[in-house]
Amino acid sequence: GEAPPPQYEEAITPEILAALAYQHMQLPDTEVSLKPEGTTKVNLPTWAWLDKAVFDEIRATAAINVPGFALQATTTAKPVSLTLKPGTKDAVTHPSSGECTLNADDSIGEPYAKGKADRTPPCGITYLRSSGNGTYNLQATITWDIAWTGTGGAGGDMPDGTFGNGQAVTVQEIQAINR
């Protein structure tokens, strides 16, 4: 029932709790929507996007509550960009850096729609060679801006986190004769 001695009050800090909360965050898998889906064609831009509803801000809180001693920290992860790596050198990313940033509505990229065939996608890939009998391993990685707030007004930034996974993309070549 007594308060801990002063040397133990600082043993656990809000910053330590923020790091603990970060370790236990459940960030969604990174699977981008692609158009065309499944199989694309050589030299045909493939549009890529993430809907805001899928990638929204994530929060996790860690707390300690014992008589005379209470600490808490909340860690917040907010998606800031999507990086695409096509899985082959024979591809061009859109934008050329491969990093697609957030739109004003917090989505990333833009879904393909009829009438956009002559446009370059704001986020996507153009494959320059067929994947043959296999697939290319498209790597889609989300960069999350990580910050925390805690007891007593403590808070700050943590290093950005990058999480992602691969998606198999089949690229076919079409032969055409123009007469």
Side-chain angles (χ1 to χ4, degrees), residues 94-143:
H94 309 288
S96 61
S97 66
E99 184 177 359
C100 307
T101 55
L102 280 175
N103 298 323
D105 67 354
D106 290 336
S107 64
I108 297 176
E110 178 183 332
Y112 176 80
K114 279 188 169 188
K116 295 181 180 178
D118 61 339
R119 292 181 38 203
T120 300
C123 183
I125 299 170
T126 300
Y127 286 96
L128 305 176
R129 291 194 193 276
S130 165
S131 58
N133 292 328
T135 58
Y136 292 126
N137 185 25
L138 167 65
Q139 293 293 313
T141 306
I142 298 277
T143 299

Side-chain angles (χ1 to χ4, degrees), residues 25-41:
M25 279 187 143
Q26 297 293 318
L27 297 173
D29 289 335
T30 305
E31 186 165 340
V32 295
S33 298
L34 300 173
K35 192 69 167 198
E37 299 175 53
T39 301
T40 189
K41 308 297 184 233

Side-chain angles (χ1 to χ4, degrees), residues 10-85:
E10 297 301 319
I12 296 178
T13 64
E15 189 169 9
I16 291 170
L17 289 176
L20 181 64
Y22 177 58
Q23 288 177 355
H24 293 284
M25 279 187 143
Q26 297 293 318
L27 297 173
D29 289 335
T30 305
E31 186 165 340
V32 295
S33 298
L34 300 173
K35 192 69 167 198
E37 299 175 53
T39 301
T40 189
K41 308 297 184 233
V42 172
N43 293 323
L44 176 68
T46 300
W47 292 57
W49 69 93
L50 294 169
D51 293 324
K52 178 191 181 308
V54 176
F55 287 89
D56 208 356
E57 190 173 273
I58 308 285
R59 292 177 183 265
T61 299
I64 294 178
N65 260 329
V66 294
F69 186 72
L71 284 177
Q72 105 169 16
T74 299
T75 301
T76 304
K78 181 178 179 176
V80 292
S81 67
L82 166 70
T83 301
L84 300 174
K85 293 184 181 175

